[in-house]
Amino acid sequence: MGKWFSKLYDLVMEPLERLKFRYIRETLIHKAKGNVLEIGSGTGLNFPYYTQAVKVTAIEPDPTMRKKSLKRAEHAQVPIDVILADAQALPFPEHTFDTVVGTLVLCTIPNPEKALNEIRRVCKPGGHVLFFEHVRAEHSLLGRLQDWMTPVWKRVCNGCHLNRETLETVKKAGFTIVHVEKHNNGILLMIEALNENR
C-alpha cells in the first residue's frame, strides 16, 4: 500500500464519514456479536462502534494502517486485537468466529472470491457476516462511468475497484443474504448474510 494512502486515509475519508459512512458503520457494527473477526480494519474507524461483541480480532495487511489503529483499539468498549494478516489466507482454524465484518474492503482485495471462501471457512455455521461496500451502480450511465474511471482509480487509491458487483460475489460464495440496505442510489450497500449450507 502506498505510504501516502495510509497516512492520508483518515483525512480523505472524514467528509464522507460525516455525510453518510459513520451512520452506516455504527448501524452495521452494532450488530456484530460474540467472537468477531474484522477483515481489512484499516485505521480502526469501526472500533468505537463495537458494543455487542465479546472480543474482536481485526486483521490489516498494511503495517502503517495497523499502527494508526492501535490507539482506537485501546479506547474501544470491547477488547480488540489487531494483527497483520491477509484476508485471502486467514491464520485461524475453521469455525472460529460468530460474526465476520468487512467495511469498504472487498473493493480492494485482489481476489475477493478467495477472501470470501476464507471467511466462510473461519465463520461458524450459521454465523453472521456483515459488509458495508461500494459497488457498481445499477444506473447504466453511472455504471459505465465507474468502469471508465476504475483503471486510474485503482492506481491512485491502492487497488480500489469502483465497479465491483460485490453483492453477487457474496451470493456466489455461498452466503445466504438476509438483508440489503441501499444508500446513495445503490452505490453503497449494507449487507447482512448468514454462513449457511456448509
Side-chain angles (χ1 to χ4, degrees), residues 122-151:
V122 303
C123 186
K124 292 178 181 178
H128 289 78
V129 182
L130 307 171
F131 292 118
F132 162 39
E133 297 289 340
H134 66 79
V135 298
R136 189 180 191 277
E138 295 175 354
H139 187 279
S140 59
L141 182 59
L142 185 52
R144 288 198 299 272
L145 179 62
Q146 288 174 295
D147 294 339
W148 179 76
M149 289 177 61
T150 290

Side-chain angles (χ1 to χ4, degrees), residues 120-193:
R120 287 207 74 199
R121 181 181 67 80
V122 303
C123 186
K124 292 178 181 178
H128 289 78
V129 182
L130 307 171
F131 292 118
F132 162 39
E133 297 289 340
H134 66 79
V135 298
R136 189 180 191 277
E138 295 175 354
H139 187 279
S140 59
L141 182 59
L142 185 52
R144 288 198 299 272
L145 179 62
Q146 288 174 295
D147 294 339
W148 179 76
M149 289 177 61
T150 290
V152 173
W153 189 266
K154 284 194 301 182
R155 289 197 293 272
V156 174
C157 296
N158 193 50
C160 175
H161 295 69
L162 289 171
N163 60 347
R164 283 187 171 167
E165 297 184 353
T166 299
L167 180 59
E168 291 306 311
T169 306
V170 171
K171 290 177 181 177
K172 288 177 182 176
F175 295 100
T176 301
I177 304 300
V178 174
H179 180 68
V180 177
E181 187 174 307
K182 298 181 179 182
H183 296 267
N184 292 60
N185 297 314
I187 292 176
L188 302 177
L189 299 183
M190 187 161 54
I191 303 167
E192 300 176 44

Side-chain angles (χ1 to χ4, degrees), residues 5-20:
F5 187 86
S6 304
K7 290 178 179 177
L8 297 178
Y9 184 82
D10 285 351
L11 182 64
V12 171
M13 291 295 288
E14 180 55 28
L16 296 172
E17 292 293 328
R18 286 200 309 268
L19 285 171
K20 179 71 76 171

Side-chain angles (χ1 to χ4, degrees), residues 13-182:
M13 291 295 288
E14 180 55 28
L16 296 172
E17 292 293 328
R18 286 200 309 268
L19 285 171
K20 179 71 76 171
F21 289 8
R22 194 170 291 152
Y23 161 77
I24 296 174
R25 289 182 193 275
E26 186 171 7
T27 302
L28 189 70
I29 301 305
H30 183 73
K31 300 178 182 191
K33 298 179 180 180
N35 188 18
V36 177
L37 171 66
E38 180 176 340
I39 63 166
S41 54
T43 61
L45 291 174
N46 292 329
F47 294 174
Y49 307 125
Y50 285 106
T51 57
Q52 306 297 314
V54 174
K55 178 187 176 184
V56 177
T57 302
I59 67 158
E60 171 54 46
D62 179 74
T64 302
M65 281 202 164
R66 176 190 174 273
K67 186 176 180 181
K68 289 184 73 173
S69 76
L70 295 179
K71 194 167 202 177
R72 287 189 173 113
E74 288 175 8
H75 291 92
Q77 298 179 60
V78 302
I80 299 180
D81 186 24
V82 189
I83 63 173
L84 284 170
D86 183 343
Q88 298 166 118
L90 294 171
F92 310 110
E94 290 185 2
H95 309 158
T96 299
F97 299 99
D98 300 294
T99 307
V100 180
V101 171
T103 62
L104 303 176
V105 65
L106 291 174
C107 57
T108 304
I109 293 173
N111 188 333
E113 293 84 1
K114 189 173 183 180
L116 287 165
N117 286 336
E118 279 290 272
I119 289 169
R120 287 207 74 199
R121 181 181 67 80
V122 303
C123 186
K124 292 178 181 178
H128 289 78
V129 182
L130 307 171
F131 292 118
F132 162 39
E133 297 289 340
H134 66 79
V135 298
R136 189 180 191 277
E138 295 175 354
H139 187 279
S140 59
L141 182 59
L142 185 52
R144 288 198 299 272
L145 179 62
Q146 288 174 295
D147 294 339
W148 179 76
M149 289 177 61
T150 290
V152 173
W153 189 266
K154 284 194 301 182
R155 289 197 293 272
V156 174
C157 296
N158 193 50
C160 175
H161 295 69
L162 289 171
N163 60 347
R164 283 187 171 167
E165 297 184 353
T166 299
L167 180 59
E168 291 306 311
T169 306
V170 171
K171 290 177 181 177
K172 288 177 182 176
F175 295 100
T176 301
I177 304 300
V178 174
H179 180 68
V180 177
E181 187 174 307
K182 298 181 179 182

